[in-house]
Amino acid sequence: MDWGALHTILGGVNKHSTSIGKIWLTVLFIFRIMILVVAAERVWGDEQDDFVCNTLQPGCRNVCYDHFFPISHIRLWALQLIFVSTPALLVAMHVAYRRHEKKRQFRKGDQKCEFKDIEEIRKQRFRIEGSLWWTYTSSIFFRLIFEAIFMYAFYFMYDGFRMPRLMKCNAWPCPNTVDCFVSRPTEKTVFTIFMIAVSSICILLNVAELCYLLTKFFLRRSKKAGNSKQQPNHENKEETKQNEMNELISDSCQNTVVGFSS
Amino acid sequence: MSWAFLRDVLSGVNKYSTGIGRIWVAVVFMFRLLVYVAAAENIWKHEHDEFQCNIKQPGCENVCFDHFFPVSHIRLWALQLIMVSTPSLLVVFHVAYRESREKHHSQKLYTNPRKTDGGLLCTYLISLILKTGLEIVFLVLFYKLYNGFKIPRLVKCDIKPCPNTVDCYISKPTEKMIFLYFLVATSCLCIVLNLSELSYLIFKYSIKCYLKRLVKKQQ
């Protein structure tokens, strides 16, 4: 069980996401999880061993390290990534539930069911409308909330995003004020700023996706209201059918262009 | 053999679970297993090396560490994860038994061997009770072994060969405490999920039985 398993779980959700959602997932995996595993963990690997205090008093180093780093950056990022990925599971569960219902309809031999076999149901991509729209939008909303909470927690705990070279400590049992030196402060500052920048990009992507979904929702509503005002006639039905086909074609084109495998 | 094995076992169990059972599996994967592997393991990695006592007497640090940490938090956490996931295997075994029985007799003995009814329902309920029981046992064990869920910065030790009372400092106590609270919170969440699934199933099947009896009486 590791980040690879998370990739498998979220990859399944990707099929039903918007294009912005697919970009968000790519940014999450390449610029956050991969960077965390491949680079950041090495930088913070020796953090307590190389945290050196100018004293021989046993225990002083432990206590000062604990005072300045209540929870390590690397652990905070890992928790942030886990919490931010979790709302996508809501969408995965909703899609699985819909698939289950369609399979049940198919097994009952329902005339309305438009699928020829179970494989088609399994491969079907659901459009983001109806109750799935609400689930998807709430998942984006929760993602935003979690990102904001963790960014704030980071800023609050470490007084900004800079890692100082020297920290002055006078917690007991340190005899007086003692100088303690952090290992690799510049490298840690660089990675901290990088992770914060990528978090901000993810927040922007989520906000953009939210705006896109809301716009689409209101446009669809006004179109429906406009259609219901006109008298229903044969020409209108053909127009709406053509519109739906055009939407499906454009959606499938988007799929091939972005092409994230699931 | 690693945590991937447990993940595969739990994925197999997911097929026979109710909706709440699937949420339980998701919580165990994301908030317990993944957090353990990705974050918690590294905090406790060098706990013995970083445990420091204010003394040069050889053997004193070892003895004090052993006295205060009979079983390390992280090992208890791992045991808890394994024990809590195992009762779900009872359901998998029962379904396999049903299917092998049908094959052996070459006839359809059950309407659907994978549906939770009759004996399989009992097995499912027993697995839920066992899961909940084991969660509570481990939480109580944590509480008793470590005098609550606190990890102090300093512990005083006076076991031989330490000459007198000696100050010993635990490494990263705050970070360890934060993850310990996280462990307790997720355990409690899992207990709540198990209990609600238990009550839901008991309620559902008692209503079913009652309606069947009512129909029979009317006939």
Side-chain angles (χ1 to χ4, degrees):
Chain A
M1 181 70 195
D2 55 8
W3 296 110
L6 189 69
H7 178 248
T8 321
I9 296 170
L10 291 184
V13 174
N14 197 41
K15 220 174 14 172
H16 312 279
S17 306
T18 61
S19 316
I20 306 177
K22 286 170 184 162
I23 296 172
W24 173 83
L25 207 68
T26 313
V27 168
L28 182 81
F29 276 108
I30 296 182
F31 294 108
R32 294 176 83 176
I33 295 180
M34 209 168 128
I35 296 286
L36 182 83
V37 168
V38 162
E41 269 180 6
R42 307 269 161 88
V43 174
W44 269 267
D46 55 5
E47 57 176 327
Q48 193 171 348
D49 295 334
D50 289 346
F51 182 78
V52 167
C53 290
N54 189 2
T55 185
L56 284 174
Q57 169 66 46
C60 177
R61 196 182 68 142
N62 274 11
V63 159
C64 291
Y65 180 84
D66 183 63
H67 175 77
F68 288 113
F69 301 107
I71 176 166
S72 168
H73 292 71
I74 207 92
R75 249 77 66 183
L76 213 50
W77 281 327
L79 279 178
Q80 183 182 16
L81 287 169
I82 292 171
F83 273 88
V84 150
S85 314
T86 311
L89 285 183
L90 289 173
V91 178
M93 284 185 198
H94 194 141
V95 164
Y97 170 73
R98 270 204 185 175
R99 268 211 190 110
H100 177 75
E101 289 295 306
K102 292 244 157 125
K103 276 187 193 166
R104 215 159 50 98
Q105 264 183 357
F106 178 79
R107 283 204 187 102
K108 273 189 185 167
D110 200 335
Q111 295 291 324
K112 274 188 252 167
C113 192
E114 63 268 30
F115 298 104
K116 297 199 183 77
D117 57 41
I118 292 264
E119 274 307 307
E120 253 190 68
I121 299 176
R122 218 173 268 163
K123 288 186 191 153
Q124 188 212 9
R125 182 192 162 227
F126 289 99
R127 300 238 340 247
I128 303 173
E129 50 195 20
S131 53
L132 186 60
W133 184 91
W134 287 102
T135 311
Y136 195 82
T137 314
S138 5
S139 81
I140 298 178
F141 182 71
F142 280 117
R143 260 190 240 161
L144 272 169
I145 301 273
F146 287 138
E147 292 268 23
I149 289 174
F150 274 94
M151 292 263 270
Y152 177 72
F154 224 94
Y155 188 82
F156 179 75
M157 254 195 259
Y158 294 107
D159 281 328
F161 303 122
R162 235 188 96 248
M163 181 72 79
R165 270 185 190 173
L166 162 72
M167 290 167 162
K168 289 191 185 283
C169 173
N170 59 3
W172 192 84
C174 303
N176 301 297
T177 306
V178 149
D179 289 338
C180 290
F181 301 89
V182 178
S183 79
R184 309 187 214 220
T186 312
E187 201 169 5
K188 286 180 180 171
T189 308
V190 165
F191 272 95
T192 306
I193 292 175
F194 179 85
M195 294 297 257
I196 297 293
V198 181
S199 289
S200 317
I201 292 172
C202 285
I203 288 177
L204 286 171
L205 284 170
N206 284 331
V207 168
E209 200 177 359
L210 207 58
C211 295
Y212 168 72
L213 286 169
L214 287 168
T215 316
K216 215 171 151 189
F217 176 72
F218 287 120
L219 277 174
R220 212 181 287 146
R221 248 184 149 185
S222 57
K223 218 193 262 178
K224 270 190 193 165
N227 276 348
S228 66
K229 274 186 190 163
Q230 293 174 8
Q231 279 182 7
N233 55 37
H234 186 64
E235 284 165 4
N236 252 352
K237 274 188 192 164
E238 278 200 15
E239 259 182 41
T240 45
K241 257 192 194 167
Q242 188 62 46
N243 281 341
E244 275 183 28
M245 279 189 65
N246 287 342
E247 273 192 52
L248 273 169
I249 291 167
S250 68
D251 278 343
S252 64
C253 281
Q254 273 180 352
N255 263 345
T256 49
V257 163
V258 179
F260 197 99
S261 64
S262 52
Chain B
M1 186 61 107
S2 66
W3 291 108
F5 178 72
L6 194 72
R7 180 194 71 195
D8 294 335
V9 160
L10 284 179
S11 308
V13 164
N14 210 24
K15 274 186 280 188
Y16 315 116
S17 305
T18 60
I20 306 179
R22 289 186 183 146
I23 297 173
W24 177 85
V25 172
V27 167
V28 169
F29 271 169
M30 295 290 282
F31 293 113
R32 296 178 81 175
L33 205 47
L34 192 56
V35 168
Y36 174 91
V37 170
E41 239 182 353
N42 291 328
I43 303 174
W44 273 270
K45 207 171 185 180
H46 301 291
E47 56 172 340
H48 200 333
D49 296 332
E50 290 162 1
F51 181 78
Q52 219 181 9
C53 292
N54 188 1
I55 187 107
K56 279 189 175 169
Q57 169 69 45
C60 179
E61 251 180 38
N62 276 11
V63 157
C64 292
F65 181 84
D66 184 62
H67 174 76
F68 288 108
F69 301 107
V71 181
S72 169
H73 297 86
I74 202 79
R75 247 72 66 191
L76 269 180
W77 192 338
L79 277 174
Q80 184 186 24
L81 278 173
I82 295 169
M83 297 292 209
V84 148
S85 314
T86 317
S88 310
L89 285 179
L90 289 174
V91 178
V92 175
F93 291 154
H94 195 144
V95 169
Y97 166 74
R98 274 189 173 187
E99 283 174 348
S100 79
R101 239 183 116 205
E102 272 193 354
K103 231 191 240 175
H104 185 70
H105 291 278
S106 328
Q107 54 173 288
K108 213 169 164 55
L109 295 165
Y110 308 99
T111 40
N112 181 0
R114 291 176 173 205
K115 190 156 179 269
T116 40
D117 54 8
L120 191 59
L121 174 67
C122 284
T123 311
Y124 197 81
L125 291 174
I126 291 171
S127 79
L128 281 175
I129 293 169
L130 277 175
K131 269 191 240 173
T132 315
L134 284 166
E135 292 269 20
I136 294 172
V137 160
F138 273 94
L139 282 178
V140 168
L141 202 61
F142 261 109
Y143 191 85
K144 288 272 177 199
L145 266 176
Y146 296 106
N147 287 334
F149 300 115
K150 288 193 278 283
I151 299 179
R153 266 185 191 178
L154 161 73
V155 286
K156 289 189 186 284
C157 174
D158 60 0
I159 307 162
K160 269 192 176 166
C162 305
N164 300 297
T165 307
V166 152
D167 290 337
C168 291
Y169 302 91
I170 297 172
S171 72
K172 310 192 207 184
T174 313
E175 199 166 6
K176 286 177 182 172
M177 210 160 64
I178 290 172
F179 276 87
L180 206 57
Y181 283 141
F182 191 82
L183 179 158
V184 170
T186 48
S187 287
C188 294
L189 176 65
C190 285
I191 290 174
V192 165
L193 284 170
N194 284 334
L195 288 174
S196 28
E197 197 179 0
L198 200 62
S199 4
Y200 164 72
L201 282 170
I202 292 175
F203 182 71
K204 185 176 160 193
Y205 282 95
S206 18
I207 296 280
K208 229 187 193 179
C209 276
Y210 176 74
L211 284 171
K212 261 190 201 167
R213 271 197 213 152
L214 210 68
V215 163
K216 266 190 189 167
K217 266 189 189 171
Q218 282 179 353
Q219 284 172 356

